[in-house]
């Protein structure tokens, strides 16, 4: 299966990508990892991307699509792949199609803005050992104190409510058109992001028609 994952920040795309990767025996391909690898390996496209990054500019769509195409042509993607983080815009979706990269399905993990804000703003991290917590779903025994090392629990800068709302605004602005784009092509399927991981996974499997979870 050649699959694209869509969904807001905090929807659980990364977790579901891992589960699907194991279930379908295909690679999860992150554009961030692809970009860093291309630059590290000094491929022609990696060198081009590096010049833009070094100048503080965004990597153009055609360069990113070239890097994606280069990565998907490798042997470990022969039986399929899961694209996480790409495309992010209609222009990128068009460029992906123009590059001859055919997609079987586009899975949207649908989560309300209110749920995203609750999930992300409630995350905490130990300032000492880095152990993750959540004020609602995985609280420490003593409020604000790490169970493991006694360190102070802090909220990451990108998990404050204002930043989350900004990220959601960008997501809606860029992704709503992509949903319609793939829906028109008959490739969009949707799953509800539930509170329990297993329930979300059940929805994801049902949407993709790949059988029951254990």
């Amino acid at each position: 299966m050649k699959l694209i994952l869509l969904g807001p920040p905090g929807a659980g795309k990364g977790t579901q990508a891992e589960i699907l990767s194991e279930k379908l025996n295909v690679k999860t391909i992150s554009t961030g990892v692809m970009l860093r690898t291309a630059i590290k390996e000094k491929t022609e496209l990696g060198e081009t991307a590096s010049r833009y990054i070094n100048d503080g500019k965004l990597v153009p769509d055609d360069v990113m699509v070239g890097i994606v195409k280069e990565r998907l042509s490798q042997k470990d993607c022969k039986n399929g792949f899961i694209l996480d983080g790409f495309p992010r815009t209609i222009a990128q979706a068009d460029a992906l199609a123009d590059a001859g990269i055919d997609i079987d399905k586009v899975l949207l993990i649908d989560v309300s803005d209110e749920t995203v804000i609750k999930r992300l703003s409630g995350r905490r991290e130990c300032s000492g050992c880095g152990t993750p917590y959540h004020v609602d779903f995985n609280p420490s025994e003593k409020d604000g104190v790490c169970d493991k090392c006694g360190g102070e629990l802090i909220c990451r800068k990108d998990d404050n409510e204002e930043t989350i709302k900004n990220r959601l605004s960008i997501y809606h602005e860029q992704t709503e058109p992509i949903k319609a784009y793939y829906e028109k092509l008959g490739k969009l399927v949707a799953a509800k992001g539930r509170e329990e991981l297993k329930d979300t996974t059940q929805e994801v499997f049902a949407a993709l028609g790949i059988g029951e979870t254990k």
Side-chain angles (χ1 to χ4, degrees):
M1 185 179 287
K2 298 171 183 176
L3 179 67
I4 289 172
L5 285 189
L6 294 179
K13 297 187 298 298
T15 301
Q16 293 302 321
E18 287 180 17
I19 293 169
L20 286 168
S21 177
E22 185 174 345
K23 173 75 174 179
L24 301 171
N25 194 28
V26 296
K27 282 281 185 182
T28 297
I29 308 298
S30 160
T31 46
V33 172
M34 269 189 291
L35 188 57
R36 290 190 292 272
T37 301
I39 291 170
K40 184 179 179 181
E41 294 179 353
K42 297 185 177 179
T43 67
E44 185 178 342
L45 287 165
E47 293 280 349
T48 303
S50 182
R51 287 197 292 273
Y52 282 98
I53 292 169
N54 291 340
D55 288 340
K57 299 176 182 176
L58 289 174
V59 179
D61 288 346
D62 62 333
V63 177
M64 279 306 305
V65 171
I67 289 171
V68 170
K69 190 174 182 180
E70 190 173 66
R71 176 66 183 87
L72 298 185
S73 68
Q74 295 178 17
K75 286 183 179 180
D76 60 356
C77 293
K78 186 178 179 182
N79 296 322
F81 52 80
I82 300 167
L83 267 180
D84 182 9
F86 194 90
R88 292 182 183 271
T89 63
I90 291 289
Q92 290 178 353
D94 279 334
L96 205 60
D98 291 343
I101 299 171
D102 190 38
I103 300 297
D104 295 320
K105 290 185 180 179
V106 177
L107 172 68
L108 170 68
I109 300 178
D110 197 15
V111 180
S112 70
D113 287 4
E114 293 77 12
T115 299
V116 168
I117 292 168
K118 183 179 180 181
R119 283 184 183 180
L120 298 187
S121 64
R123 294 196 299 195
R124 297 292 183 269
E125 188 176 86
C126 176
S127 57
C129 67
T131 299
Y133 293 89
H134 194 284
V135 294
D136 294 311
F137 309 125
N138 181 32
S140 58
E141 289 183 11
K142 185 178 179 181
D143 188 35
V145 179
C146 178
D147 296 340
K148 291 187 177 180
C149 73
E152 180 188 4
L153 301 188
I154 58 172
C155 178
R156 299 187 318 187
K157 287 182 180 179
D158 59 348
D159 282 342
N160 71 69
E161 191 166 328
E162 185 179 348
T163 302
I164 295 165
K165 286 180 177 177
N166 286 337
R167 290 169 66 192
L168 281 168
S169 177
I170 292 168
Y171 164 77
H172 288 304
E173 185 179 318
Q174 293 184 347
T175 306
E176 295 301 325
I178 296 179
K179 285 162 57 178
Y181 176 98
Y182 284 113
E183 191 169 28
K184 191 174 180 181
L185 294 173
K187 296 189 176 185
L188 185 74
V189 295
K192 283 283 184 186
R194 304 292 185 183
E195 191 168 307
E196 294 290 334
L197 172 61
K198 63 180 178 59
D199 294 335
T200 301
T201 303
Q202 193 72 51
E203 290 251 359
V204 165
F205 277 36
L208 293 172
I210 56 174
E212 298 295 317
T213 56
K214 291 182 180 180

